Amino acid sequence: MRASVARVLLAGAAASVAGAAIVFAATTGGGDPAPRAGAGWVALEPSPLQRSEVGAARIGDRIYVVGGFLRAGGTTGRMVAYDISEDRWVKRRALPRGVNHPGVAALGGKLYVLGGQRGPSPQRRVRAFWRYSPKRDRWKRLPAPPGPRAALALVGHKGKLYAVGGYSNKNQRLRSLLVYDVRRKRWRKRAPMPTGRNHLAAVWAAGELWAIGGRRPSGRNLDVVERYDPRTNSWQAGPPLAVPRSGIAAARAGGSIVVFGGEELAEGDSTIPEVERLDLSDIDAGWSFLDEMITPRHGLGGAAYRGVVYALEGGPQPALAYSNANEALAVP
């Protein structure tokens, strides 16, 4: 793939100018760094930050990774963007207040960050809601939902953001589904998810919100998949995962949902290498396996672009562990 990657620090215009960027790395070979189908996972330019419990979402050909725990210590609001076309990282303006375990989604060319927690203490969960404009490199605070939550899933679709699951200061397995109307700037409660859980993932596929995996307060991982239909405001069961998992990433890649990463705390105390795919044209066939990850991680960022899934940063061991790994898999 890449013959070699030189770490180059390019100072942009004045750092105070909105939209100014610092490029952390650039390829020497040029061209599209995306892997080819059948090649398995490939290593791409590592992130300039070593983190875990981050949030990530893609806008255009850039994947924005924000928040989390830093190896250097503490919770951060720092944000970097991976430029898929150039295989390089760009520094962007930090979230005004650092959080780990946030919900992150992209919608209408903007990045949204919801909730999370300020530090390792479970009593510091927040309900702050932010919007980031890549064009202006600016953050704006938006109306917060009722109550704090962290380790949730956030998905954007057709002018609305769907926040599901997670934990609050009082409830370790939230069932609630909250929907934010971007135009009306208003939150609305919808039918609760049947299975309360935290550290889950979610994607929008086949006209529905898919809530995938997660864990109970005991640390036991779940194989549960549940689908929300906004037309009927109702949930139904989806095909269960082959591997129960939490602290995961999921992405829609072409006609498939791909789930990757996670950690096993109740049994084995390890990260999860298996990668699962659900073919949306044959849901009844259930999940099948793709190539295992090079660097299994939990608390990672995940996204997809043109049939390729990307796994960014995250912890290579359970609990507080950190990496700057950036790996990709072309989905057949």
Side-chain angles (χ1 to χ4, degrees):
M1 274 298 299
R2 284 182 302 117
S4 63
V5 178
R7 289 193 169 277
V8 181
L9 185 64
L10 302 177
S16 59
V17 178
I22 298 175
V23 176
F24 278 101
T27 59
T28 56
D32 188 350
R36 296 178 181 175
W41 286 88
V42 298
L44 301 174
E45 179 63 22
S47 169
L49 302 176
Q50 294 192 17
R51 289 184 290 186
S52 185
E53 307 301 353
V54 299
R58 179 185 63 81
I59 301 174
D61 65 351
R62 286 186 174 183
I63 303 170
Y64 294 80
V65 188
V66 61
F69 290 114
L70 282 171
R71 177 181 287 279
T75 294
T76 183
R78 294 175 70 180
M79 182 166 71
V80 288
Y82 175 65
D83 187 319
I84 297 170
S85 299
E86 298 295 330
D87 189 28
R88 65 177 183 174
W89 290 85
V90 181
K91 180 180 178 181
R92 306 304 290 165
R93 188 179 298 274
L95 186 71
R97 295 290 301 275
V99 291
N100 57 74
H101 293 84
V104 178
L107 182 65
K110 303 292 198 308
L111 188 76
Y112 294 84
V113 178
L114 174 63
Q117 56 190 44
R118 297 281 188 227
S121 169
Q123 279 69 47
R124 300 185 68 188
R125 290 161 191 153
V126 300
R127 63 190 188 103
F129 184 37
W130 300 91
R131 183 183 68 207
Y132 171 77
S133 169
K135 291 183 178 180
R136 300 181 63 231
D137 192 29
R138 295 285 185 182
W139 291 93
K140 180 179 180 179
R141 193 155 187 169
L142 300 176
R149 67 171 66 196
L152 68 148
L154 186 68
V155 176
H157 181 70
K158 289 189 175 180
K160 293 182 172 60
L161 289 155
Y162 296 77
V164 62
Y167 47 52
S168 66
N169 293 335
K170 297 180 179 180
N171 187 343
Q172 296 292 304
R173 50 178 183 179
L174 290 173
R175 297 174 55 218
S176 60
L177 170 63
L178 300 176
V179 179
Y180 180 76
D181 188 308
V182 172
R183 184 177 62 84
R184 296 181 179 180
K185 300 179 181 180
R186 186 174 67 186
W187 288 95
R188 185 182 182 189
K189 291 183 179 181
R190 305 302 286 157
M193 182 170 56
T195 307
R197 44 197 151 133
N198 58 68
H199 286 84
L200 72 162
V203 300
W204 193 274
E208 296 176 318
L209 174 71
W210 294 63
I212 302 166
R215 75 174 67 132
R216 295 287 198 183
S218 64
R220 181 175 66 87
N221 284 346
L222 300 171
D223 63 1
V224 174
V225 176
E226 292 167 337
R227 301 152 53 187
Y228 172 76
D229 186 338
R231 295 163 296 185
T232 61
N233 188 33
S234 64
W235 292 84
Q236 64 174 311
L241 294 167
V243 178
R245 60 178 76 212
S246 63
I248 58 179
R252 167 80 181 271
S256 300
I257 299 173
V258 182
V259 179
F260 47 102
E263 62 183 338
E264 176 55 76
L265 299 176
E267 300 177 9
D269 199 30
S270 61
T271 48
I272 298 172
E274 291 91 350
V275 177
E276 299 183 56
R277 171 199 180 196
L278 182 68
D279 184 343
L280 292 167
S281 67
D282 189 11
I283 293 172
D284 292 338
W287 297 84
S288 60
F289 289 108
L290 298 176
D291 292 317
E292 293 188 353
M293 300 178 74
I294 300 171
T295 311
R297 284 159 279 154
H298 72 98
L300 71 166
Y305 183 59
R306 293 181 177 174
V308 177
V309 295
Y310 295 83
L312 311 100
E313 303 184 17
Q317 293 87 36
L320 285 179
Y322 318 88
S323 81
N324 63 352
N326 177 20
E327 296 162 357
L329 174 71
V331 179

